[in-house]
Amino acid sequence: MERIEDSWGNRWHAGSVSAVAHLDDTIEAYLGMRVETGDHLKRVFAADPDMPMAHILKGYFGKFFSTPKMDAMAAKALGSAEARLVQIEGTAQEQHHLNALRLWVAGDMRGAIVQWEAILRAAPHDVMAIKLVQFSQFYLGDGPEMRASLDRVLPAWSPDVRGYGFIRGSYGFAAEESGDYRTGESAAREAVAINPADVWSAHACAHVMEMEGRAKEGAEFLGDIRKHWDGIHNFRHHAEWHLALLYLELGEIEKVLDHYDEAVWTEIAGDYLDISNGVALLWRLQEIGVDVGDRWQALADLSALRSEEHCLLFADLHFLLALLEGGKFDQALQMRNSMHQFATAPVTADRTQAQMLKTVGLAIADAMIALKSGNASSAQQTLGAIRHDIFQIGGSHAQRDLFDRMLVRAAMDAGDYDATRSLLNSRISARPRMGWNHLRLAELEDRLGHPEAAADARARADQLLSEQS
């Protein structure tokens, strides 16, 4: 087994140049979120079943799914990689990858990040390390560090390096999640210009447009670029979810429902991200009084099968909300108890996800249950106490906005109008062009018996909508 250089200058132990070439193709397909990523990995194993990095990559791919079955596959891949690396003198880079996978399998996401960052100090072209740090920081809710990690490696990248556009798009998303919308959009648009099928970068542009209240522009942008998404795996559903959110901001409710049925929740949906897409969109619709029919049922049925997994807090909270809204209240209570057990049991309590559950997850679960039970005051108090810590559940600003809207709704329904106004003032300051904020302000003024103020708030929402056309 030799050390063979890949397209990015990394050297991996492998039995043939062909195996490394297939590994490169696997990584590039992963960057592009292509459905054929797994087929490329199979070609690596066909060329060299003993390549340590191939087994490590298989383990990483297993962990991305956040299911017990795929976690078990990742653990098996870890064992295979360990067995092969013990037979050779693995490089420091390979050893860090092995250590990272070992820590991730054990539930220590933060420890895994330390290993990937150690790689990047010496090998800033290690594409998987770059993306794995971004994935993990994303699900820890740490946008600034997501960007900082890319800041440290970007000077080593240039347009002549394979996959440069994907890294620029990753930087664009990290900048957006750090609140730097101009840098974020510029980098993401550069990436889309390089490769119009780069769905991650297109979705980064959509994030900027949503945060800045540019719904019509965003809908037109995604509506035009989505023709390039054939061959994209289920992340396409998430990008389509962004398009649905933009339609919702434009008040095009029938369009939202049709798009949900045709592109967001499809016959092949079922991954945790698919479920979170559906939950977050249906709740938004329902909160403004839209009848969503029986659409909750599929989400609740799938979530019921995953209510005791606890692989990812972000997913757990959406599963729980699906159970609550889909008529499975008793199972939702059982899931909340299971979440508590996972967070406190000695065998799991030191895992990153368990720590996040204890810090914010259980409180959010309790607030959702209280709100659904008609106890808006309890929901408001529980959710309000951790409002500034909710970022720790991971996900994007757009995804976590669900829980901030939930807090506004709880405060409004609890009759705490001073708190409601304070929350809305904060939201309007941060996102002045979001129509929902002004419509909720109008609702508040109506409840307070201030018809002129309510009319002014509605007029502002109408003005924002007219400015989109």
Side-chain angles (χ1 to χ4, degrees), residues 352-363:
T352 302
Q353 296 301 312
Q355 294 166 359
M356 292 162 63
L357 260 168
K358 284 180 282 192
T359 304
V360 293
L362 292 174

Side-chain angles (χ1 to χ4, degrees), residues 57-216:
L57 189 59
K58 182 177 180 180
Y60 287 155
F61 286 171
K63 289 296 296 178
F64 284 138
F65 285 89
S66 295
T67 68
K69 178 181 177 181
M70 299 305 283
D71 276 359
M73 186 196 84
K76 184 177 179 180
L78 170 64
S80 298
E82 289 173 329
R84 283 154 177 84
L85 277 175
V86 81
Q87 298 171 6
I88 60 174
E89 187 177 348
T91 67
Q93 192 171 356
E94 288 170 325
Q95 193 60 51
H96 279 304
H97 272 295
L98 182 68
N99 292 341
L101 179 57
R102 184 184 296 118
L103 288 162
W104 198 7
V105 166
D108 185 358
M109 290 179 73
R110 293 185 175 89
I113 290 171
V114 171
Q115 296 295 316
W116 292 317
E117 289 288 9
I119 291 170
L120 292 173
R121 284 194 291 273
H125 287 161
D126 189 321
V127 183
M128 284 308 302
I130 292 172
K131 292 297 290 183
L132 286 160
V133 168
Q134 180 161 78
F135 176 90
S136 300
Q137 294 289 13
F138 176 73
Y139 279 114
L140 294 174
D142 196 344
E145 187 52 39
M146 200 193 319
R147 178 178 183 171
S149 179
L150 281 156
D151 278 330
R152 291 190 285 270
V153 300
L154 272 180
W157 284 78
S158 59
D160 61 334
V161 178
R162 183 176 183 176
Y164 168 79
F166 293 119
I167 301 304
R168 286 298 291 166
S170 296
Y171 186 69
F173 178 70
E176 180 277 326
E177 285 300 298
S178 300
D180 185 352
Y181 301 139
R182 296 284 60 74
T183 299
E185 183 172 3
S186 175
R189 283 189 179 276
E190 179 185 355
V192 172
I194 292 170
N195 177 13
D198 183 353
V199 65
W200 179 264
S201 299
H203 120 283
C205 289
H207 270 276
V208 172
M209 294 172 187
E210 181 186 354
M211 294 302 293
E212 294 190 326
R214 296 155 56 194
K216 187 173 188 294

Side-chain angles (χ1 to χ4, degrees), residues 315-332:
D316 265 5
L317 293 172
H318 288 84
F319 296 159
L320 180 62
L321 189 52
L323 294 175
L324 289 168
E325 298 297 342
K328 298 180 184 291
F329 192 83
D330 288 344
Q331 189 156 357

Side-chain angles (χ1 to χ4, degrees), residues 390-436:
I390 289 175
F391 72 91
Q392 295 179 40
I393 70 171
S396 66
H397 295 305
Q399 289 170 315
R400 293 192 301 269
D401 190 52
L402 167 69
F403 302 101
D404 206 58
R405 291 182 183 217
M406 199 174 288
L407 176 56
V408 173
R409 175 49 56 198
M412 185 92 75
D413 290 351
D416 189 343
Y417 298 141
D418 288 341
T420 305
R421 186 179 298 282
S422 178
L423 289 166
L424 288 172
N425 287 345
S426 177
R427 287 180 61 88
I428 290 170
S429 176
R431 298 177 69 178
R433 297 186 59 78
M434 174 180 271
W436 186 88

Side-chain angles (χ1 to χ4, degrees), residues 227-242:
K227 63 178 176 284
H228 297 286
W229 294 345
D230 288 343
I232 302 298
H233 61 47
N234 77 302
F235 189 80
R236 175 175 183 161
H237 302 158
H238 181 66
E240 300 284 10
W241 174 78
H242 276 278

Side-chain angles (χ1 to χ4, degrees), residues 258-278:
D258 289 344
H259 196 68
Y260 178 92
D261 294 335
E262 295 168 6
V264 177
W265 187 259
T266 74
E267 71 279 358
I268 60 171
D271 178 85
Y272 77 86
L273 185 58
D274 297 327
I275 293 172
S276 71
N277 295 333

